[in-house]
Amino acid sequence: MSRRARQLPDPGRRGLLGLGLSSAALALLGPAGRALAALEGRAAGPIEVDPRFWKKLPGEKTQCFICPLDCVLEAGQTCFCRTRTNHEGELFCHAYSNPCTLSVDAVEKLPLNHFLPGEQTLSIAFGGCNLRCLYCQNWAQSQSKPDDLKTYDYPPERALEAVVKKDIRAIAYTYTEPVVFFEYVRDVSALARQRGVKNVCATAAFIEVEPVKELCRTIDAFCVALKGFSDKFYDKVCGSQLKPILRAIEAIRAAGPWLEIVNLVLPSYNDSQAEIKKLCHWIRLELGVKTPLHFARFTPEYRMRDLPPTPVKTLEQCREIARDEGLEHVYILNVSPHDANQTYCPRCGKVLIKRLGFDVLENQLKNGACPYCSSALPGVWA
Amino acid sequence: MKLEQLLLLSSCAFLFSPAALAVPADARATPQRTREIETAERVRQHYATIQAAVAVDRLALDAEQARSLLAIAAEAQKVRADHEQELAAVIERQWTAFSTFLKEGEADRGFSPQVEQETAQANEAEKNLRLRFFEQLNVLAARAHEVLSAQQDFLIEQTPRPESWLREELAAEPRPTGETKKFVKRLGQLSDRDIDESLPELIGDLRDLGLTGGRRVLSPEEREVVRSYLGDLRRLPRAEAAERLAELKSGLGSRKGECDARSELHEIARQKHGGTDALGLLLAEPAFAGVLARRAGERPPKCSGQAVDPVVAALVQDVRRDINLVNLMNGMHFDQEQIAALLEVAPDGARGRQDEMECAEALADLEGALAAVAQDLCAGREPARAALRHCVDAAQDARMKETARKGAGRHARKKARGQELTPAQEAAALLTDSQRQVLIDYKACLIPPQNLKDPVRAGQANTHEPQARALKELRKIPVRVFLQQAPEIANALLERIEQHHGRFPGDEREEALRKTLELALRARCMDDATFAIEQEELATALAELNREEALIEELQDERGGDEVVLCDKTRDFLLDPAMRPLLEARFEQLENFRPEPTTDLDATEGAPSCKDGKCAIDG
Ligand SMILES: [Zn+2]
């Protein structure tokens, strides 16, 4: 049985092909219905979790292996991530073709500063997340089930149609947590790759190694939010764990997609010099000094509305620590205008890419190299 | 001012009676600033009296008209008094809200939601009061227009502003001012080649002398005229050259283009913020009723005293200015080095106090001069030429001093890097490219934007959010309604845009309407997902139907493009004397920066997490 055929009947969904047929009706049509759905590229309704990453347990229980939580569910239960449900002993993902956010953004917003500067992305997000960050900037979406939000009917084919029509060079899986809409990312990114469209992914990387390796086959660039560098911070502030995240990042580095790291600096929580130094040291050792690192300014959100925004001076100090550690491309995010928005040649120090906000004001790179001293700059430039 | 002048003016206008004023306890200015504000207020009132007297003389009303107009003016004064009563309360509220908001801005740790909300509401309250006041006033103005003949209407609209009227009265006998003489002296020392090379600067000087209609950049033809004119001028004996220059009161080069754009922008501001025409403005002034009554031999209408304390009102304006400056400073993210360098260029405190003193003296001189002329005009006497001249010279002097004070002295050129740079150019050179871009685009705002689509927080948000909202609303209109009324709906949308951004002239409006209708149709034809992706583009296209933006750009181009705009804004904001203490405080703050003490994570409640395999959220 094909993946797409294994859909959970959902009479609540709207008709397909304008024929007024619900997905339940299509299911009743058997192969013909599936063909009809495939024709329109529609796969409305929950989809079976990638069979490689879940298993049945005795007594109609299921266990998911996409993220390190390895959630065991009884029939009728929903995962911590809010997107996966045990339906009579089968595990379905409710985040498929029903994104809550669709927008066109600058690739710099992800953030990615060394990946097709100045290009746009079609950004897609679904409700749900497998973390519980108290400062989440998109909490209204991340802390809801996919179908509890206003959603769009957006099967994989439509995403492709849109980028082709608008001449957008990349699709971004972002805003909430792509790990929880793994199946959609897997299918859309595969289609995109076939058609020469790039895929970029902003994630907390709280994902098992095998699924992330699977994503690395079709994702061209990752921006990983490494939220802190202590178990306690991950546990207390994000409801998550550091070690599996480091493992996943190492797996991404080993697999080869372009990688940038972003660290949101939360005043008094994860901004100690020692923690920042440890984080930078790890990046140097495991990912290399050419890995771009962004220190992002926190703005009061969700359950941390009483915490002030990160002082710019704190961000500047973090950047100094990172540069002392030898990292060559260290940026400050969400503070603009600022010198640390620009890309500099690590060899001759000249400004190569000038930015204001998420706009690229000037890009002097010639074939990915500094026009002054000819040294190649790490990144994906064309 | 002499007692007799005060008495006479009181019968023309209402000078404020302090008993009626509500003053927040903490709204205090230094004695010097208080004096300055009070003097400025009297200057304003004298000008209003002069304007009223000139207008009444021009109108040559018959007895019937005078009576009717006086009755309307008396009503207008009632409206004004009621308005001021309410305004006083709003200004008091603004004082409290804005002061708190400013403190939070200075700390640069974000704004608390309640403080932000109160600030926005206090600001909105004033706007609403103003709109309502002008609405009421315009009803009275319409009635007043009916009293006047077409010719009188025309005369009222053509009555020059009092400053211009004073100059025009003197036109027959122009006399060079000190600044004109200084300019001629400098010109005498230049060769023709020097004139060629420093023409842009000379044009800048001519602008300061009021001879280029406010422009610093002229068309090539105009520049040629100025060049040859200055060449001739420098060959004349100095005294004669100064006379010639002084006679040139109508200005060099045609100002038509700029005046058109300016007056259109003025009209847009009026739409947005409320406003009235020349007759409405007269009706709003107590002086007008006073002069009318006096001419008719009647007592001026009874009216309550001034409710708004000009000192408090001016202090609120000062806080508002400081908020704008702090927002700009916060949004520019200056580092300590830049602040130190800016402070080097900014007018120093002692210089600032000196400038302030000179301004105060000039203003006091102007006040005395205007009082004398206003007194004559009120009494129906022709003011002496000497008195008029005193007014014009004092006004020019006060303006120059104010410009020097605000602009850190355009004329106080400094040698830097072997070049002659104005302080504004020097300060602008301290900025990074992206800071320069931000300043060029900067539009002052009270509450900085919190738009995650754009991390640039200096000045008004660069967003098309309102346009996107309008399109979303449009999509909600039922199909049948839309099909029946599409043109009307598009027209209503365009009218809303015009209300905020200016009316399109007749020939352009049809095209704008066609574009609006097309965008409306496109927005409606899309399904939700397509609209989500296309809305930014559609909103941007809708935002282009912005007359105001186009006019501002036109004016900026005329002023000389980005470089000139950058220098002007550097001077007006970064070198505003009020910026110095803010920059000094920010320097201290950065110098003494200590990170927050580390939060004890063990003591915090912590985020929910998935432990011991108990991950299910329900069921
Ligand atoms: Zn280089």
Side-chain angles (χ1 to χ4, degrees), chain A residues 345 348 370 373:
Chain A
C345 171
C348 72
C370 169
C373 72

Side-chain angles (χ1 to χ4, degrees), chain A residues 344-350 352 369-375 377:
Chain A
Y344 299 87
C345 171
R347 189 152 136 213
C348 72
K350 291 265 188 353
L352 300 183
C370 169
Y372 302 100
C373 72
S374 306
S375 52
L377 217 72

Side-chain angles (χ1 to χ4, degrees), chain B residues 192-255:
Chain B
D192 277 345
R193 219 181 122 189
D194 292 340
I195 292 180
D196 273 355
E197 281 172 0
S198 52
L199 197 56
E201 273 195 26
L202 291 169
I203 290 173
D205 292 336
L206 288 172
R207 173 193 182 271
D208 291 344
L209 292 172
L211 296 175
T212 65
R215 286 180 303 158
R216 203 163 283 153
V217 174
L218 305 177
S219 71
E221 298 79 39
E222 289 170 337
R223 267 205 308 276
E224 192 44 45
V225 172
V226 171
R227 201 184 57 77
S228 76
Y229 180 83
L230 291 179
D232 292 349
L233 205 62
R234 94 176 165 78
R235 289 182 173 80
L236 294 176
R238 207 178 282 166
E240 200 186 327
E243 291 289 342
R244 283 270 296 272
L245 197 59
E247 279 165 23
L248 203 73
K249 77 179 192 57
S250 59
L252 291 158
S254 108
R255 300 179 233 172

